[in-house]
Amino acid sequence: MLGGMALRFFYLEKELDEARPSVFSPIFVYTLKSQIMVYLGLSLVGDGNRNELNLVPSYILFPDQFYGIGRDVDLDTDEEDYTSESFGVDLQYKRRVRGDWRLGLDGLVLKHRLDEVTAGGRLDGDTVLGTANTWLNALGPAVSLDSRDNTWAPDRGLWLQAGARFAGRGLGSDYDMEEYVLDLRGYRTLGRDLVL
């Protein structure tokens, strides 16, 4: 796997002394199996650090092998080649409501399809759940607490994030899905150059 990432920091409000930086962070990954993953991350912080918008468009081209489902597959005879392709956008908006607490919405729009499958194989004909060309649209609440003293090199503080996303036919999704995320981080200075 080969890849690269860039970070471009900038401030939407340069006149604000305690402004948190916005960042553009594109990521490109290429594997020796000709798999490609591209993410164009953008995080914008503005309005006196009250509003935060995270936007991550993505593209994934993923040639791989399918061996079947379950434990009774034969790795020598059941292998099928396929290539999947997906275009997606992760979107999250949060607004500071009190102190370091933020509330908002977390969304995902994803278009997935199989471009190439083994003719006559199990993936040919949409008989395996999840192999049809699909849309996945999800939306849900997000909450965070960010008391770090520095966004990119904290010495102290907490960074807690929680959210849930729900997909269903009411949002134009081809499948129902629930996703829950909990991310808890804390920073404490233990010495002059040591942070736990």
Side-chain angles (χ1 to χ4, degrees):
M1 179 181 294
L2 308 168
M5 175 182 184
L7 293 173
R8 171 69 172 102
F9 297 96
F10 58 96
Y11 291 89
L12 296 178
E13 299 172 300
K14 294 179 182 176
E15 69 282 353
L16 187 64
D17 289 338
E18 308 235 343
R20 294 211 180 235
S22 296
V23 64
F24 176 58
S25 55
I27 298 171
F28 176 80
V29 176
Y30 176 81
T31 75
L32 299 180
K33 292 176 79 173
S34 299
Q35 299 160 330
I36 298 171
M37 292 162 269
V38 179
Y39 303 91
L40 302 175
L42 179 63
S43 178
L44 301 173
V45 179
D47 191 22
N49 294 331
R50 284 186 289 276
N51 293 316
E52 180 181 335
L53 177 67
N54 295 301
L55 177 68
V56 184
S58 63
Y59 171 74
I60 299 173
L61 182 66
F62 213 83
D64 209 349
Q65 290 78 39
F66 175 74
Y67 295 95
I69 299 172
R71 64 182 182 179
D72 297 324
V73 298
D74 186 331
L75 298 181
D76 295 322
T77 60
D78 291 339
E79 179 180 324
E80 295 179 28
D81 292 327
Y82 73 95
T83 299
S84 66
E85 185 177 38
S86 65
F87 302 87
V89 177
D90 257 301
L91 180 66
Q92 186 179 80
Y93 169 76
K94 290 185 283 191
R95 181 164 176 84
R96 188 171 62 208
V97 291
R98 172 175 278 181
D100 295 320
W101 287 96
R102 297 175 184 269
L103 290 176
L105 290 173
D106 194 354
L108 170 68
V109 175
L110 181 69
K111 172 66 174 166
H112 178 265
R113 67 180 183 211
L114 290 185
D115 282 344
E116 300 172 16
V117 297
T118 301
R122 285 165 292 178
L123 298 180
D124 192 14
D126 300 335
T127 57
V128 176
L129 185 65
T131 59
N133 295 339
T134 60
W135 281 99
L136 181 65
N137 303 319
L139 187 65
V143 61
S144 68
L145 168 69
D146 188 356
S147 64
R148 295 172 294 169
D149 61 334
N150 184 294
T151 303
W152 298 98
D155 291 327
R156 62 184 178 280
L158 296 173
W159 190 23
L160 316 175
Q161 300 181 86
R165 293 195 288 204
F166 305 94
R169 303 212 185 269
L171 292 172
S173 186
D174 292 321
Y175 293 101
D176 294 335
M177 179 195 79
E178 297 177 11
E179 178 184 42
Y180 302 91
V181 175
L182 181 61
D183 186 347
L184 310 172
R185 306 179 198 193
Y187 303 87
R188 180 179 295 266
T189 302
L190 298 181
R192 198 176 109 202
D193 296 319
L194 184 60
V195 176
L196 175 67

